[in-house]
Structures are given as structure tokens and as C-alpha cells.
Amino acid sequence: MSGLAFRDVTLHVAGKKLLGPLSLDLAPGAVVTIMGPSGSGKSSLLAYLCGTLDRAFAATGSAMLDGTDLTGVAPEKRRIGILFQDDLLFPHLSVAGNLAFAIPANAPDRKVLVDAALAEAELDGYGARDPTTLSGGQRARVSLMRALLAEPRAILLDEPFSKLDADLRGKMREFVFAHIRMRKIPCLMVTHDEADAAAAGGYILRL
Amino acid sequence: MMKRREFMIAAGALAATPAFAQSSWNETLAAAKGKQVFFNAWGGDERTNAFIAWTAERVRAAFDIDLRHVRLRDTAEAVQRVIAEKAAGRDSGGSVDLIWINGPNFLAMKEQRLHYGPFAERLPNFRYVDVTGKPSNVVDFTVPVDGYAAPWRLAQIVYVYDSARLPKPPRSMAAMLAWAKENPGRLTHPTARNFLGATFLKQALYELTPDRTLLAAAPTDANYDAAVAPLWAWYDALRPNLWRRGTQFPESGPAQRTLLNDGEIDLMISFNPAEAAVSIANNLLPATARATGLEGGTIANTSFVSIPYNAANPAAAMVVADFLLSGEAQARMNDPRHLGNPTVLDIDRLPPEQKKFFGEVPSIPGMPTAAELGRALPEPHPGWMTRLAADWEKRVLR
Amino acid sequence: MLRLAPPATLLIFLAPIVAGLLGTALPAFGWFPALGGHEFGFAVFARLFAQPGLGTSVALTLFTGFLATALSLTLALAFCAAAYGTRGFATAQRFLAPLLATPHAALAIGFAFLVAPSGWIARLISPELSGWTRPPDIATIQDPLGLAFVAGLMLKETPYLLLCLVAAIGQADLARSLATARMLGYGKFTAWAKIAIPRLYPQIRLPVYAVLAFALSNVDVALILVPTNPPSLSVLIVRWISDPHLDLFLPATAAGLLLFALVVVSIGVWRLGEIAIAHLARDWLTNGERGSRGAIRNSTARAMLALLFGLAIAALIALAVWSFTLSWRFPDALPDRWTNANWLREAPSLAAPATTTLFVALCATAIAILLSVLCLENEIRTGKRATKALALLYAPLLIPQVSFLIGAQTLLVRLNLDGGFVALVWAHLLFVLPYVFLALADPWRALDPRYARIAACLGASPLRVFFAVKIPLLLRPLMVAAAIGFAVSAALYLPTLFAGSGRWTSLTTEAVTLASGGDRRVLGVYAFTQAALPLIVYAMALALPAFLYRNRKGMA
């Protein structure tokens, strides 16, 4: 079975239940939005799926990606990409360096891939730039392209548009979802912005 | 490589005849090759440090020996290290190969059998040492050296002064006290914890004590107090008139020289007759600096090098000790542009190839004439120095 | 493996200290078989208390230790109160790093060159202003009260406490609280005293205790600046240990314990003082007394700090001037003949101690960085802060060095490790590690953990995350920590003396040895080199990330 699925996921912190039990199936190309107030454990769910959940949390249940059980799989082996509200571009690398960081080591023609990603982000010729010299929208686009260059089999969005200016937000939503749909991978977004959910257009789960 | 013990037995047995001695020395030279020698020597005098650095260059070139100068604040540090190693059971491969030593430190090591040897007579250059004209080369502070140390440097007490400020320096203890009373704050001496500082007291003792013959043997509880009473009477009168009213003392001989050069004091004690001359040449004292002995003569002694019983490289240490006795090293030491100490050798007996190093000694200002220097007196037994230093500590530390 | 890092670090660390203290305590209580001591008792202490001058020495130690700590702390706090938020504060901050990188001994030697009766200051004002044609017979260094020693300590300890305060200010959100107080009508100085100090002091408490312990037990600055008859206790101990007849070795071990006890009691007394002041100030904090603008206090505090920094800089210049002097008679203001011969002549003998200083510092710093990073990574990965256990890292800063080094040396000799490079690096590590860990902990913990997570989600292995993301992101704090570690190591006197067994000499041991001699020109060469080496390393450590990231504003 392809796509992202999880069964009966429950998160506990300090002995108290934070979230769950929660089950979901995301087919390739599907976008699901989880909405809920802050502190409801939305972000922790994404961390659980990435394999980067803090040790303070206890998780039960299971998650599968393209038919493989993710239990015990190291984050770097899961091939699940994530975007946060901050672009988190590595400040010590150039724009191209950030993109190249994500490309698998054995990929041929790395430079071609980087240039193509820059073109897709409408940032031709920006490769050598310091990420801090880019605008917020430009950085967000680089951040998405970086996540996609790692060839993820699923992508998670953690309030991805909340820090962008209001006028940028609409454009960025379009850009993100268009690219994700093009890649035909499942996408799980957590947000508390109804407009995000509307733009995603998929199933909405309210906590 | 031959084990040290075997080597010692072999060397001792073979030293009997000159031909064997030569072959034994060749073995020593071979054993010394490529070895390190940690030369533990007081590091407070820059001219001596420079001389040791020169020695290191020469023994590296001539004998492939890596001589390292371990600069001590006090020779006692090295003695203590050997004692600590003995306490820890390290009877070979010790961290000290060669020590610049004499007086109480030499006696302490001799009493505790911490010396390697006897080795001095096995050194080829030892045959040129003047053992009759300069008796301190074989009797250190009344203690027979017995070959457990090799001489390298002669010393005699002088008092150095700036003739521009002090035209007529005092030449007796009584005169010194009178002058100090008239010129308070213009005299000091190194702390008595320092060799030279204790020597300042000893020199005064020599002149003031009622019966000098007692000084040739260790002091006893019965004779000590009476022997030193006049010294302390003199010193108690002198001390309030010393620099800093006798509460602070320079840590070393060279530290006094700074005070003299700055004009803080007008008179200082030194163990090197060439002190004024060498210091003028090195811009450490003004050109008007001069040195003088005392009317009744001053104490003279010999600096030795000895090898601890557990030295890692005794053969290499012996080669260095022998080099220090060579005409080349002794002539450089004798040169007032370097150290200016009298040689321990009898120059007349030197073969021509060694004698040639003692060429023209340049006449430079500041050297005392033989008359100014005066008679050389023998060192008292080290026991006197030890007790004087302890007494001084009790008087000064409150 | 990683989880073994904290216990391993503590073992490397505490084992020698505990063993060293034991090695000091056993002979002090009479058990020293090598010298025939097999019975426990207080005989050694009885001999200690019979030593001449011991009481004066203890009094001098306590007086100078407390005075130096109190004055350094007062000045650092007063300067913050007077200058926080002004240009002067920013200027002072720029001087902190180079001052802290300069070894104590070099500053003390330079300070002595300045303020001695024949020092540069006296030469500048003589004979015109002072009328002196000869240096006055006044003890301006090695004075009976130890005031020169106090000043010498303040040269380093005030900047150190100031640095700790700056770090603490960065963590507390002070600016708004102070602004609020000012709006309520409080004078600047009073606002600082009532709002900032109560919040900052707990954060700098440990550094203050470290300063107190250091001031009570320092040897290298004391050797240069304290009076000698008798000196402070630590110097007395070092003097006794080098007695050839071992007569004073046992009393020295007892004195080592006495010094340890003095430090412990002093820290306790200081703590009581803190409590008393907090109690007395409770009403004062809220009594509504707003204080004046405190203009006089402000300018006094700023002038005092400027004077202190000025003295430190002038001290370094004095070292440089002497190193190029051929002859300089009193009371000339400057040398009458200059030369580079001192440098040329000393260069060969300078090479060995400089190399030793460099290598020991590099090795100790590298190991300290490695251990600190492993501990911090372990902390981040397990989410457990071993704060309490790691607080023990500060033990070497609070225990007098001489107290455990006496015993540790006997131990090293027994293990046949004395005089070895390993022992030397180990001894340095004890003091380098706490400072490196301190410098690294905050930036390491403050790094946004999402960088590592996002890198992992991009397919980077933990090793790649560490080397390609964390190390580059933390390069600047890593280099700063390395520079601090280097400076700490380069300045160490006693550990080098003891663990090096005289076979290893550093620029510091050489400079302190030469300080008892008579040639200021040679001493200038050594002390200036001693000061310059850590400064150069510091500059390089700051230059490397600045160069690598010259086009990365996000890394500034």
C-alpha cells in the first residue's frame, strides 16, 4: 500500500495524554489538514512521524510509509520532509548550498538539479547569495525546494505560512500546494489558520 | 646499550691505567651519543643561562648530546626531585641528569648517598684542575668532594658599588655598619634563603666570630650561640638601616643589581669578581661600577656539577661535565664579556691546544685588581650556613 | 558510547583531584612511609604552627583575598550601574576579551614595571615633579599590606567578573525593568542597585567564589607582588616544598590542607555575608528611596575602570619597551639606548618554552573541546541535563591548586608519569575544561534544535548533521571557547611547575622564574611573548569564522 498511514497514535507527556488515539490514511497526492489550538500536540504528531519526537514524549501506535513500518527507523532514513513556520535555511551555506545539502549524495548532475530548483522558485541566478539577503517569500520558496530536492515520499507542513506577510501568504500557499501536487506525494499540514485549510482543499481533521 | 651497573663496574675497573682509562672514556663517549641531559641549574642569572645555552650548542656539535637547561628558582628544587624519586623507588631513569651544586645541597645529597660516582677523576680534563692552588676544587665547604662532583667555576665574594655615588666603599664589617648608619636604605642583601644572601651573613660571621677555627667543622649546640652572638649584634644594628628598613630583601643576587643600577642601593654583594665588569659590558650597571674585596679577605668557593645516582643518562652527563672543564669552556667562562669567573684549571699545565683558548683577555673596566680583591678565605662547614639561614628566618619573619 | 561522556569526563577530572587531596592529607596527618611516618596524629600540624611568620602569612592571605574579591566585584558592579547602556559600556566590552586572554603573570610583571619605586610611573614624574633623582625607599610593590598584590589581582579579576556580568545581563531581560524603574523616578545608580543586582548576583555567584578562591591561593602573581617576609600562604607552601632537606615538606602538606580549609571557610563566610546583605537590603529595596542621579558615583566608577584598563594596557607596553631596551637609567622617562639584541639573543632559548606552551595548550584545549562537545551532545540527545554532576567541573577553580598538586605530584612520581607530556596535558586539562565547558554550554544549548531535525529529515545522517550543520553553525562559539581554553592553559604556572617536573617549562614558568632575577630586558622579552601568544591565538580564533563567514550575515 502506498502513501502515509498511521494507526491509533497516542502521545503522552509527563504521564498525561496529549493527543490521540488518532488514525489517518493519506494516499499519494492527498492533502490532509489537522486543525487545533496551540498545545494540542499537532506539532508533536509531526515530530513523531519524522522520528524527531523529543524524549520527554511517549508515543504508542504505529505509522507506515509506502507499506514500510516506520517504527525504529532513523529520521534520515524515513524520507519524510518537513517545513516549519521559519524557513530554517542554514545560515552558513549559500542559497545553492542549502539546496545541494538536500540532494541525495549519489545523484548525478547536482548543479543541474540546483539550477532547476532555483528556476522553479523563480530565483534564477540567486545560487551564490547569502540566504539572509533574500526576502521572506524568497526564503520560504527556497526552503520548500530544499525539502523537495531530498525526494521525500511524504511531506509535513507545520504552520508553514504563519510568519509570512498577509499579502505574501496567498501566493505562497498556491506555490507550495502546486509543487506538492506535482510530486504526487501525501501531505499532512497542521495549522490554526482556516485559510490554510481552504487553500489545501483536502480533508480537515479538527482536534 | 650497556646496563648502567655493568658500565659502572667496567668503568671503575678499567680506570686503573691510562690506556684503559682512554678506552673507558671512549665507551662513555659512545654511550653519551644521542642522549639527552637535563641540566638542572639555577636560572636567575641571564649571563649563566647564556653560557649554558652556548654549552648546549657545543656539546650537540661535538658529542651529539641534547643538553636541556632546566632553569631552577632554587637548586634545592632539583635535590628535592631526586629525593622524591628515591622515595617513589625510581632508582634509574631519573629526571635529573646534572645539577649545578655546592654547599648545603651538595652535603645533603652526599649524606643521603644520592650522588652518582665518584666520577670526577675519570674525566679526561680533570687532570688539569688546580687542586693545590685552589683547594676549594676538591673540598667543598670543608666537605671532601671525593669525586662525587666536578668543579667548573670559581667564585669569590666581592662588594659591587657605583664609584660615582660611593667613592670609598667600606672594606670591613665595622666600616659597613658605620656607613649604613650614615646612609640608611643604601644597602641590602639577598634573602638568606638564597645562597648569596646566606653568604652575606657568613662573610660577616667570618670577620666577627671570636674563634674562626670552629667554622671548619659543623657547628654544635655547645659552640653555636657564642660563635654567632657578635654577628647578630652587628646585624641587629645594621638591619634597620638596610633598604626597606630591613623588612624586604631581593630574591636573588641579580635582583640586587637592578636596585644598584637604578640607584636604590649603593652597595651589593656578589660571588663573581667580574660582576661589575660583566655588568658594565652588558649595560646592566653604569660604567662607573667597581668591585672590591675586604681588608681581611673574602670567602671563595667552587661551583660543581654532580650527577644524581638515578640519572637517566650519566655517561652523557659526564661528557658535559668534562666539556665544562675543557680549555674552550673555561676560557669562555673566564672572559669578562661572558661570565668573568676565574678558571678552576691550572692554566700552566694545559697542553697548547687547550691553552690557546686563553688568549688575550681584553682589559675592560670594573675588574678588581688582585690587591682590591684580597685574600681568598675557605668556606665554613655548610652546617653554619644552614643554621644562620634558619636563625635569620626567625628574626625577619614575624 | 556518548552517554559515557559525562561520567568519563568527571573521572578524568575528579580522580586526580581527590587523589591529590588525599596525597596531601595523608602526610599532613603523619602518614608518609618514605620519610618514616607511620602514625596518624597532629604532630605535623604542630610543626606547621611553630613555623615563624605563619600567623602573619595567614592574615596577609585572608586580607588580600577578601579585599581583592570585594574590590573587583564592587568595581565591576559599579561600572555596570554607571555605564550600562552607554557607549562606554560597549567600549569596555571590547577590551574584556584581550584582557582576559593576557596571562596573570605577564600583567603582574608589567604592573611591577610600572609602579615599582624605580618603575615607569616614577621615571615619568622624576625628577621634575617628584624631585626624585633616585627611586624613593617606599615599598610600592611587595608592600607589607599586600596592596600591590590586590591591585595586580584586580587587573584580571575585575574584567573577568565584568564579563560574567555581561553574560548574565544578556540572559536577564534587564533593559525593560530598568526603564520601568527610571520611569518611576529612580536614579540610574539606584535603579541598578535595586533592580539589576538582586537578579544578576545569583548568576555570578560561582564566578565570585572562583575569584575568592583564586585570590586566596594564587602563586604566580603573588610571587611577583606579595611581600616576602613572610609571603602569602600559597607562596610559603611552594617555598617549603622546595626545601632540600625535606624538613619542611611535611609542614607544607599540612599548610596545603590549612589553605584548603581557609578557602572553604572563606567561601562560607562570603556566603553568610551575602545572606546578611540580602537581609539588610530587604527593606531598602522597597523603601521607595529613589536616589539622585549619582553623577559622582557614576564618574568615579567609570574613571576607576578606565584607570584599571589603562594600567593593564600600560603594563603590556612597559613589557614591550623593556624588551627593546639596551640601557635605561633612572630617572630617564625612556631608555637612552634601544636595541633588538635582547630578542635576537633570547630567541633560541625562547623557542622551547614557547613550543611547549603552544602544544600543551593546543592539546589540552582540543581534549577539553572534545569532552565538552560530547557531554553537551549527550545532554541534547538524551534530554537530560547532568547539571549537578557537571557542576563538579568547577571544583578545580574552587580548590587551591597547591593543596592537591602536592599530593598529585607524589602520585605522578609513583605512577612514573611525572615529567611526561601526558601528565602535563592532564594537569592543564583540569583548569581548561571548566572554562571551555562554560564558554560552550550556553551557545550549544541555545542552538535551535530544528536545524538538526530538518537536516535529518533532508536525509542527513547524525554524523553529517553534526559535522555539516552543528559544527559550522557553532564555529564561532567553538573558536571562542578554544581561545579561552588556550589562554587559560598558557597562563598556568603551578600545574606546569608540578606536573612538568622541571622538564617542561612554559613561557609562564620561565617568566615567573626570571622575575626573581635581575634583567628586566630579558624578563620583558619573556613576559611580552607570554602575553602575546594567547592574544595572537585569540585574534586568530576570532578571525577564522569572520573570514569563513564574511558573506554570511546570519552567522554574525
Side-chain angles (χ1 to χ4, degrees):
Chain A
M1 194 209 128
S2 55
L4 177 68
F6 52 93
R7 293 276 170 274
D8 303 323
V9 172
T10 314
L11 298 179
H12 285 89
V13 62
K16 279 171 69 179
K17 195 175 85 174
L18 181 69
L19 174 142
L22 203 62
S23 299
L24 258 183
D25 277 295
L26 286 91
V31 180
V32 171
T33 304
I34 298 179
M35 301 212 45
S38 52
S40 59
K42 306 184 304 274
S43 296
S44 303
L45 176 68
L46 298 192
Y48 165 75
L49 293 171
C50 285
T52 57
L53 188 65
D54 197 284
R55 287 189 188 231
F57 294 88
T60 56
S62 64
M64 310 266 285
L65 181 62
D66 294 344
T68 321
D69 188 351
L70 289 175
T71 311
V73 178
E76 69 271 19
K77 303 264 193 252
R78 294 189 180 201
R79 301 186 59 188
I80 295 178
I82 188 163
L83 284 184
F84 294 104
Q85 51 190 334
D86 296 299
D87 54 75
L88 292 178
L89 294 180
F90 300 128
H92 62 294
L93 298 176
S94 63
V95 172
N98 266 279
L99 293 170
F101 184 92
I103 301 173
N106 54 9
D109 302 325
R110 304 174 68 83
K111 192 171 170 344
V112 176
L113 288 172
V114 168
D115 287 341
L118 283 170
E120 271 192 79
E122 297 156 35
L123 286 168
D124 288 289
Y126 278 63
R129 292 276 288 268
D130 179 356
T132 48
T133 62
L134 269 51
S135 72
Q138 289 171 325
R139 281 205 302 273
R141 299 207 295 274
V142 175
S143 183
L144 174 72
M145 296 320 298
R146 181 176 69 173
L148 296 177
L149 276 174
E151 297 170 11
R153 294 186 300 193
I155 190 146
L156 312 176
L157 307 177
D158 190 349
E159 310 213 12
F161 313 112
S162 60
K163 283 218 174 149
L164 294 174
D165 293 340
D167 53 330
L168 254 176
R169 229 175 266 168
K171 268 198 211 161
M172 195 60 206
R173 285 187 188 113
E174 243 172 74
F175 180 83
V176 168
F177 292 119
H179 278 90
I180 290 174
R181 288 205 185 90
M182 235 155 54
R183 300 276 192 304
K184 297 223 169 359
I185 49 174
C187 170
L188 179 64
M189 173 167 69
V190 303
T191 183
H192 52 249
D193 185 344
E194 294 286 351
D196 287 354
Y203 175 68
I204 298 173
L205 179 75
R206 290 177 199 278
L207 293 177
Chain B
M1 196 191 100
M2 209 187 243
K3 286 254 172 57
R4 198 167 51 80
R5 182 178 294 272
E6 293 164 29
F7 170 73
M8 279 170 63
I9 294 166
L14 293 173
T17 68
F20 282 131
Q22 184 56 48
S23 80
S24 150
W25 185 248
N26 283 341
E27 281 172 31
T28 308
L29 287 172
K33 219 169 150 57
K35 296 292 191 305
Q36 279 193 331
V37 173
F38 286 97
F39 185 9
N40 285 239
W42 180 64
D45 177 47
E46 274 316 306
R47 308 319 304 170
T48 306
N49 294 347
F51 180 78
I52 293 175
W54 171 82
T55 305
E57 273 170 42
R58 293 292 299 118
V59 297
R60 179 186 296 280
F63 308 107
D64 189 19
I65 288 172
D66 180 9
L67 182 73
R68 303 285 181 89
H69 180 188
V70 177
R71 295 185 181 191
L72 305 176
R73 282 178 59 86
D74 190 321
T75 304
E77 288 169 24
V79 180
Q80 206 255 324
R81 198 164 289 141
V82 177
I83 291 172
E85 288 177 354
K86 189 181 189 189
R90 189 190 294 172
D91 291 332
S92 61
S95 65
V96 181
D97 293 299
L98 197 64
I99 309 181
W100 170 10
I101 199 166
N102 67 1
N105 288 313
F106 176 77
L107 179 66
M109 281 189 68
K110 196 174 181 220
E111 278 174 348
Q112 300 185 57
R113 300 183 166 277
L114 296 173
H115 284 303
Y116 168 88
F119 73 92
E121 280 79 3
R122 293 216 303 274
L123 306 178
N125 285 324
F126 187 81
R127 75 190 73 155
Y128 307 120
V129 170
D130 188 347
V131 294
T132 46
K134 297 161 183 170
S136 65
N137 284 342
V138 282
V139 179
D140 180 46
F141 287 59
T142 74
V143 177
V145 175
D146 293 337
Y148 286 104
W152 70 287
R153 184 170 178 176
L154 270 188
Q156 182 171 352
I157 288 177
V158 288
Y159 294 84
V160 179
Y161 59 102
D162 181 352
S163 59
R165 284 177 166 145
L166 179 61
K168 260 180 66 87
R171 297 193 80 225
S172 72
M173 290 305 142
M176 194 181 287
L177 176 59
W179 170 76
K181 280 182 169 167
E182 275 169 43
N183 300 278
R186 298 277 170 231
L187 173 68
T188 188
H189 61 81
T191 156
R193 288 179 293 277
N194 175 284
F195 193 83
L196 188 59
T199 303
F200 180 89
L201 298 174
K202 246 180 342 186
Q203 178 65 46
L205 177 69
Y206 217 102
E207 195 172 312
L208 299 169
T209 195
D211 180 5
R212 273 184 205 184
T213 56
L214 292 179
L215 304 182
T220 63
D221 289 341
N223 68 17
Y224 179 76
D225 286 339
V228 300
L231 165 69
W232 291 127
W234 174 82
Y235 190 72
D236 288 344
L238 179 72
R239 204 178 130 208
N241 299 299
L242 292 179
W243 178 75
R244 299 279 186 275
R245 280 158 288 283
T247 56
Q248 287 292 315
F249 297 88
E251 282 296 293
S252 68
Q256 302 175 98
R257 190 174 54 205
T258 306
L259 298 178
L260 183 64
N261 190 38
D262 289 340
E264 289 203 53
I265 57 170
D266 284 340
L267 186 65
M268 65 174 246
I269 189 171
S270 167
F271 236 132
N272 186 352
E275 174 80 47
V278 174
S279 298
I280 293 169
N282 291 299
N283 294 293
L284 288 164
L285 285 179
T288 45
R290 295 292 178 267
T292 178
L294 297 177
E295 283 157 10
T298 51
I299 293 174
N301 72 26
T302 299
S303 288
F304 294 87
V305 287
S306 78
I307 306 172
Y309 83 105
N310 67 345
N313 296 306
M318 280 167 64
V319 173
V320 173
D322 187 57
F323 175 76
L324 289 172
L325 285 175
S326 67
E328 183 186 2
Q330 289 287 315
R332 186 178 176 96
M333 197 190 66
N334 187 229
D335 186 336
R337 286 169 300 185
H338 298 293
L339 289 182
N341 288 80
T343 175
V344 296
L345 303 181
D346 181 352
I347 299 180
D348 294 340
R349 296 219 315 270
L350 283 177
E353 74 273 12
Q354 295 224 38
K355 202 173 193 168
K356 69 166 195 268
F357 291 105
F358 291 89
E360 289 290 300
V361 172
S363 156
I364 61 172
M367 284 300 282
T369 62
E372 284 166 338
L373 185 57
R375 209 152 57 89
L377 306 173
E379 280 277 3
H381 185 275
W384 291 94
M385 180 162 167
T386 309
R387 285 185 83 153
L388 282 181
D391 274 5
W392 180 84
E393 197 106 356
K394 279 193 199 108
R395 279 163 191 272
V396 172
L397 264 65
R398 295 278 172 196
Chain C
M1 274 302 283
L2 200 54
R3 74 188 46 178
L4 290 177
T9 304
L10 285 176
L11 188 73
I12 288 177
F13 216 69
L14 289 182
I17 296 177
V18 172
L21 276 177
L22 263 177
T24 308
L26 287 176
F29 287 105
W31 201 80
F32 196 66
L35 290 182
H38 291 283
E39 274 179 34
F40 285 96
F42 294 94
V44 177
F45 279 93
R47 279 178 58 201
L48 167 66
F49 293 122
Q51 293 301 320
L54 184 76
T56 317
S57 174
V58 167
L60 176 73
T61 302
L62 291 174
F63 175 73
T64 53
F66 274 92
L67 189 64
T69 311
L71 287 179
S72 300
L73 179 63
T74 308
L75 183 53
L77 285 172
F79 177 75
C80 283
Y84 178 69
T86 67
R87 286 239 313 273
F89 196 69
T91 311
Q93 274 189 48
R94 271 202 294 280
F95 279 103
L96 290 181
L99 269 183
L100 289 169
T102 311
H104 290 89
L107 276 181
I109 291 167
F111 179 69
F113 280 180
L114 286 180
V115 304
S118 61
W120 203 0
I121 294 173
R123 287 169 196 245
L124 285 174
I125 59 167
S126 300
E128 294 82 6
L129 291 174
S130 62
W132 296 327
T133 51
R134 293 172 154 217
D137 191 5
I138 309 166
T140 49
I141 57 168
Q142 304 189 325
D143 56 299
L145 286 176
L147 297 179
F149 177 50
V150 169
L153 287 171
M154 283 180 69
L155 288 180
K156 278 281 284 190
E157 302 313 315
T158 309
Y160 172 63
L161 289 175
L162 204 49
L163 183 81
C164 296
L165 278 169
V166 168
I169 289 168
Q171 287 179 353
D173 182 19
L174 275 183
R176 272 186 295 179
S177 310
L178 286 172
T180 311
R182 295 294 294 279
M183 272 189 311
L184 290 169
Y186 282 84
K188 191 173 177 180
F189 212 94
T190 314
W192 184 272
K194 292 191 174 185
I195 298 294
I197 293 176
R199 277 166 64 187
L200 294 177
Y201 188 78
Q203 305 229 46
I204 61 158
R205 178 174 289 140
L206 208 54
V208 170
Y209 295 167
V211 169
L212 181 61
F214 184 86
L216 289 166
S217 63
N218 174 276
V219 172
D220 48 346
V221 179
L223 273 171
I224 297 157
L225 295 176
V226 291
T228 52
N229 297 308
S232 56
L233 190 55
S234 53
V235 175
L236 203 56
I237 295 170
V238 173
R239 190 185 278 175
W240 288 347
I241 291 172
S242 38
D243 182 82
H245 304 285
L246 280 191
D247 280 353
L248 291 165
F249 179 78
L250 290 178
T253 60
L257 282 196
L258 174 65
L259 181 61
F260 180 50
L262 284 180
V263 169
V264 171
V265 170
S266 296
I267 291 176
V269 168
W270 190 276
R271 179 80 193 101
L272 288 177
E274 288 171 8
I275 294 171
I277 289 173
H279 188 77
L280 291 173
R282 213 170 36 190
D283 292 335
W284 177 77
L285 284 177
T286 52
N287 68 358
E289 172 67 52
R290 267 131 172 97
S292 61
R293 276 191 59 238
I296 294 171
R297 272 172 305 189
N298 281 353
S299 37
T300 310
R302 295 170 74 145
M304 286 294 294
L305 195 83
L307 175 70
L308 203 68
F309 283 18
L311 273 174
I313 292 161
L316 295 183
I317 297 173
L319 296 178
V321 169
W322 270 110
S323 77
F324 287 104
T325 293
L326 181 61
S327 88
W328 186 2
R329 301 296 314 278
F330 191 90
D332 298 346
L334 282 172
D336 51 286
R337 281 178 294 168
W338 299 79
T339 181
N340 58 1
N342 303 324
W343 284 94
L344 295 178
R345 193 181 57 243
E346 293 307 317
S349 19
L350 201 56
T355 316
T356 304
T357 307
L358 193 67
F359 277 103
V360 174
L362 288 179
C363 288
T365 305
I367 297 171
I369 296 256
L370 185 73
L371 289 173
S372 302
V373 166
L374 288 177
C375 288
L376 288 164
E377 274 297 289
N378 177 67
E379 177 183 304
I380 280 164
R381 294 196 190 173
T382 60
K384 273 185 239 158
R385 269 206 193 187
T387 323
K388 279 217 177 107
L390 287 174
L392 290 169
L393 284 185
Y394 303 120
L397 308 185
L398 299 178
I399 300 174
Q401 295 179 1
V402 71
S403 300
F404 66 89
L405 284 172
I406 305 173
Q409 193 189 30
T410 322
L411 193 76
L412 284 175
V413 173
R414 216 150 268 187
L415 295 173
N416 220 0
L417 281 174
D418 69 309
F421 191 71
V422 176
L424 190 58
V425 171
W426 196 359
H428 278 233
L429 190 59
L430 294 183
F431 302 95
V432 172
L433 188 54
Y435 286 105
V436 166
F437 188 84
L438 263 176
L440 218 42
D442 283 336
W444 208 274
R445 288 167 181 155
L447 181 70
D448 190 336
R450 293 178 306 171
Y451 281 120
R453 286 187 203 154
I454 210 159
C457 292
L458 290 170
S461 67
L463 272 184
R464 183 156 175 241
V465 172
F466 183 74
F467 286 109
V469 177
K470 290 197 112 174
I471 295 288
L473 284 180
L474 291 165
L475 186 64
R476 189 183 302 268
L478 272 169
M479 295 310 288
V480 169
I484 292 172
F486 188 95
V488 168
S489 166
L492 287 176
Y493 173 69
L494 216 46
T496 315
L497 195 68
F498 275 65
S501 279
R503 287 191 167 199
W504 299 96
T505 55
S506 67
L507 290 171
T508 300
T509 58
E510 291 292 84
V512 174
T513 302
L514 286 170
S516 73
D519 198 336
R520 284 175 293 214
R521 306 169 306 182
V522 176
L523 180 55
V525 168
Y526 275 82
F528 186 76
T529 311
Q530 191 211 0
L533 192 63
L535 281 174
I536 292 168
V537 169
Y538 216 97
M540 279 174 20
L542 293 183
L544 181 71
F547 172 75
L548 287 177
Y549 299 138
R550 62 194 178 283
N551 295 323
R552 297 280 176 268
K553 276 201 290 192
M555 297 300 297

